[in-house]
Amino acid sequence: MKVNNLAIDIEKIKEEYPENPLEFFKGKRLCLFKACLEKYFPGVRFGIKNLCEALDLKVNICEKQSCCSGTFFQRNLITRAQFAAINERNLNEINRQGDILLVSCNGCYNSLLRGRDFLKTPEVYKKTQEILKGVKEEMGGEKYPGQYEILDNPNLRVMHDLDFIYLIRESVINTLKYDLKGLKIASHYGCHYLNLDRDRDTETYLRDKRKLEDLIELFGGEPVDYSEREACCGWGASQIVLHPGDALKTTYSKLKSAENVEASFLLMPCPTCLYTLSKPEFRDQIEGLFEERLDIPTIHLNELIAILRGCEEEKCIALRRHSPRIHEIYETITKE
Amino acid sequence: MTNVNIESDEEWSYDFLESLVEDIEENRNIMQCISCGKCVGECPAAKISNFNIRKIISKVLRGDRSVLKDSDIWYCYLCERCKRVCPKEGINIPLLIINLRNESFKKGYGPKYNDLTKYVDMASRFLTNGTVLDDPLDGELSEDRVKELDKICDFARIKYVFKARNANQQKDSDKEESQEKKESEIL
């Protein structure tokens, strides 16, 4: 029983392609993981897809992929083995059509790695195998070999969008039409990017937590530090749904801290954090609780890339008409 | 030292911990906890609630099962910050919390009923279209895939939440029907 870590080895790519890491991805099949919350922010998916296509990379989406189920695992509504089985079913399908899985959401990224991680425990591995065997019987057999088995040694590797964009940043910059000159930007990474230790051996654990700031600088903006930089957005594994009065204190502190340093907007690599930090109803509730209106705009990195690439507003920040001052930021960046 | 008053060695009991270790071997590592409090200092939940992981670990190590009744365990953000700042190797606090919540469910304590009801719609959408939101960006999953998910979730709590919703819906519709019947009789 050997369960390999699916996180991509960024250091190895850097070693093999020191001049141009984009070369590593040429000819490979990139699959975009469908994060549920992208529904509210279609620009997140559009941004990365549009960028990949501009860089002549092959990109696809797996129709058969379900939600990562992290929400249900976190609230004890499914067991570790069930969670791992859902994960294996997704990975199995994606492995058939992709070499690299790009993930736009910290929660999904955590789930994908965590599901594999659980399989390192022999009892969980055994139970997951039994569950998948039961599914195979229920479905009347396999449509392809290994459909209902734990992926032994998959070709597939998982990569967070932020790590991908950062790795190929020198190529990304050549595709941009606008820059961030004159803008002060605060970064929010999100807990499940900052604190993950499942990819401890790769560069994303304790070091290199300045990728967003480096990208802001590269794109001509000024990164600004703020006291709550590493704090949670307030989502807290659905705490904002369960105990909004308490969790919104976390959201308030984060937004207030970024406003205090006069950031033009808050940049992040996760649609779940974006949902928490931008939802108009939450901003209203914050105003009610703290008697203070906070209107700092919030943008996902993929949306920002689309704006900088000169894509039309409707595509970049679709469905976000009610997000605070988002149109203003779009106008500022795209001013000729 | 912890801020808990330990008077003698007899107060320590590892039976409770052993039962947790039976489920998740990694839980054994909490014996290495030096009660330094870094996890509490960096914890977002501790800033806004009574959630205090140092106290929870201390209770588990003393064999104090009252921690399972404690509503605090349901306040954890599962953000994994504690894991990152912990000076010891291998202490997995988020997994311990998930384990404690499971035990709490098994004993019939669980989260507040209202908290669970907030998951009813999400559970229902997951088991009927494979996502947690209505009208997903890429359309619904195929029937086959939904059937697979349904099978994987056999006997899981998510199914009970889902069934409870259907039962409630049926109850509401029966109620409505009988009300309509009554009204038509009156008229």
Side-chain angles (χ1 to χ4, degrees), chain B residues 24-62:
Chain B
I24 296 174
E25 175 61 33
E26 225 172 326
N27 282 333
R28 194 180 297 283
N29 297 338
I30 66 167
M31 288 182 85
Q32 298 171 34
C33 174
I34 54 169
S35 223
C36 67
K38 279 200 86 165
C39 49
V40 183
E42 297 262 353
C43 173
K47 289 191 177 93
I48 53 123
S49 70
N50 291 326
F51 180 76
N52 183 319
I53 193 57
R54 187 164 58 164
K55 276 189 185 167
I56 290 172
I57 288 181
S58 173
K59 277 189 172 185
V60 172
L61 291 176
R62 281 186 293 132

Side-chain angles (χ1 to χ4, degrees), chain A residues 288-306:
Chain A
L289 286 168
F290 305 99
E291 295 176 354
E292 192 172 3
R293 185 82 199 161
L294 299 177
D295 66 354
I296 183 168
T298 46
I299 301 182
H300 189 286
L301 176 65
N302 298 3
E303 293 177 322
L304 179 68
I305 298 279

Side-chain angles (χ1 to χ4, degrees), chain A residues 191-209:
Chain A
C191 302
H192 291 151
Y193 183 85
L194 274 181
N195 304 328
L196 269 197
D197 75 340
R198 287 182 191 88
D199 45 358
R200 191 187 277 270
D201 296 335
T202 67
E203 64 171 350
T204 52
Y205 190 47
L206 283 175
R207 58 198 176 93
D208 262 326
K209 295 287 162 52

Side-chain angles (χ1 to χ4, degrees), chain B residues 2-187:
Chain B
T2 64
N3 56 354
V4 180
N5 187 21
I6 309 284
E7 286 173 359
S8 68
D9 285 352
E10 283 80 62
E11 289 205 19
W12 293 84
S13 157
Y14 296 114
D15 291 354
F16 183 28
L17 175 64
E18 282 304 327
S19 71
L20 297 176
V21 169
E22 255 174 50
D23 198 19
I24 296 174
E25 175 61 33
E26 225 172 326
N27 282 333
R28 194 180 297 283
N29 297 338
I30 66 167
M31 288 182 85
Q32 298 171 34
C33 174
I34 54 169
S35 223
C36 67
K38 279 200 86 165
C39 49
V40 183
E42 297 262 353
C43 173
K47 289 191 177 93
I48 53 123
S49 70
N50 291 326
F51 180 76
N52 183 319
I53 193 57
R54 187 164 58 164
K55 276 189 185 167
I56 290 172
I57 288 181
S58 173
K59 277 189 172 185
V60 172
L61 291 176
R62 281 186 293 132
D64 181 351
R65 290 170 200 258
S66 71
V67 71
L68 300 178
K69 287 185 192 171
D70 214 332
S71 63
D72 292 356
I73 58 171
W74 300 94
Y75 271 86
C76 177
Y77 274 40
L78 300 174
C79 67
E80 312 214 3
R81 182 82 179 172
C82 44
K83 250 175 108 178
R84 186 168 162 216
V85 299
C86 179
K88 291 294 196 180
E89 280 272 328
I91 296 185
N92 191 338
I93 294 166
L95 203 53
L96 169 72
I97 291 293
I98 283 174
N99 195 187
L100 290 173
R101 287 175 176 178
N102 254 332
E103 292 303 309
S104 174
F105 256 122
K106 282 188 210 164
K107 296 261 181 249
Y109 310 133
K112 281 188 247 158
Y113 176 73
N114 281 347
D115 287 356
L116 258 190
T117 58
K118 289 175 182 162
Y119 279 84
V120 166
D121 286 339
M122 277 198 272
S124 158
R125 286 189 287 260
F126 182 72
L127 291 171
T128 50
N129 66 26
T131 76
V132 297
L133 300 171
D134 274 331
D135 305 321
L137 196 57
D138 312 275
E140 294 180 357
L141 271 189
S142 66
E143 220 173 282
D144 269 10
R145 288 293 278 136
V146 171
K147 205 170 155 192
E148 287 168 2
L149 288 177
D150 190 70
K151 180 67 187 165
I152 290 173
C153 294
D154 264 358
F155 309 110
R157 291 186 191 105
I158 192 172
K159 276 225 172 150
Y160 295 105
V161 170
F162 179 54
K163 279 179 189 163
R165 176 186 179 266
N166 289 346
N168 281 344
Q169 270 180 349
Q170 188 57 46
K171 223 193 271 172
D172 287 348
S173 117
D174 290 349
K175 218 168 156 186
E176 228 168 75
E177 221 171 83
S178 108
Q179 184 65 22
E180 274 171 20
K181 206 175 160 193
K182 263 187 206 163
E183 281 171 11
S184 69
E185 279 168 8
I186 293 167
L187 288 172

Side-chain angles (χ1 to χ4, degrees), chain A residues 16-36:
Chain A
E16 285 175 12
Y17 299 88
E19 295 295 319
N20 185 9
L22 180 67
E23 287 303 316
F24 170 80
F25 299 95
K26 293 273 182 187
K28 291 206 167 54
R29 300 164 304 164
L30 307 185
C31 185
L32 307 181
F33 192 80
K34 300 183 290 180
C36 292

Side-chain angles (χ1 to χ4, degrees), chain A residues 91-307:
Chain A
L91 290 171
N92 230 317
E93 294 293 347
I94 295 165
N95 188 49
R96 280 165 61 79
Q97 65 179 71
D99 302 308
I100 291 157
L101 178 62
L102 291 178
V103 190
S104 73
C105 172
N106 292 355
C108 301
Y109 183 66
N110 186 20
S111 290
L112 287 157
L113 298 179
R114 178 186 253 166
R116 288 296 283 183
D117 204 38
F118 284 159
L119 294 174
K120 290 174 186 158
T121 306
E123 302 89 81
V124 178
Y125 188 95
K126 203 175 145 209
K127 279 183 191 165
T128 306
Q129 250 180 343
E130 281 164 16
I131 291 170
L132 291 172
K133 199 176 152 206
V135 178
K136 186 175 165 181
E137 279 164 20
E138 177 86 8
M139 301 305 290
E142 294 173 332
K143 287 197 180 74
Y144 56 86
Q147 185 182 11
Y148 300 114
E149 278 164 30
I150 290 170
L151 273 172
D152 222 5
N153 191 18
N155 178 44
L156 188 72
R157 285 292 174 272
V158 179
M159 190 173 199
H160 195 292
D161 282 2
L162 171 55
D163 295 333
F164 172 67
I165 291 168
Y166 186 79
L167 184 64
I168 59 160
R169 59 196 180 281
E170 296 300 337
S171 304
V172 173
I173 194 136
N174 293 330
T175 73
L176 305 186
K177 185 176 173 190
Y178 301 106
D179 59 38
L180 295 172
K181 264 186 202 123
L183 291 168
K184 287 162 79 172
I185 300 153
S187 301
H188 165 77
Y189 286 86
C191 302
H192 291 151
Y193 183 85
L194 274 181
N195 304 328
L196 269 197
D197 75 340
R198 287 182 191 88
D199 45 358
R200 191 187 277 270
D201 296 335
T202 67
E203 64 171 350
T204 52
Y205 190 47
L206 283 175
R207 58 198 176 93
D208 262 326
K209 295 287 162 52
R210 285 194 54 83
K211 286 182 181 176
L212 283 173
E213 280 88 347
D214 288 354
L215 287 172
I216 292 164
E217 254 173 0
L218 184 71
F219 301 157
E222 182 191 339
V224 285
D225 200 5
Y226 62 113
S227 62
E228 297 294 312
R229 177 181 175 272
E230 294 214 343
C232 173
C233 64
W235 177 259
S238 304
Q239 290 295 343
I240 209 155
V241 182
L242 304 173
H243 311 114
D246 298 319
L248 281 171
K249 287 180 200 160
T250 311
T251 311
Y252 167 76
S253 303
K254 178 109 212 170
L255 293 168
K256 177 75 181 159
S257 170
E259 277 207 4
N260 282 347
V261 294
E262 295 174 348
S264 311
F265 63 88
L266 200 48
L267 181 65
M268 61 206 70
C270 172
T272 309
C273 299
L274 185 62
Y275 177 79
T276 309
L277 292 166
S278 70
K279 192 177 178 183
E281 287 83 348
F282 291 157
R283 296 286 180 112
D284 292 344
Q285 281 174 272
I286 283 173
E287 189 176 10
L289 286 168
F290 305 99
E291 295 176 354
E292 192 172 3
R293 185 82 199 161
L294 299 177
D295 66 354
I296 183 168
T298 46
I299 301 182
H300 189 286
L301 176 65
N302 298 3
E303 293 177 322
L304 179 68
I305 298 279
I307 296 173

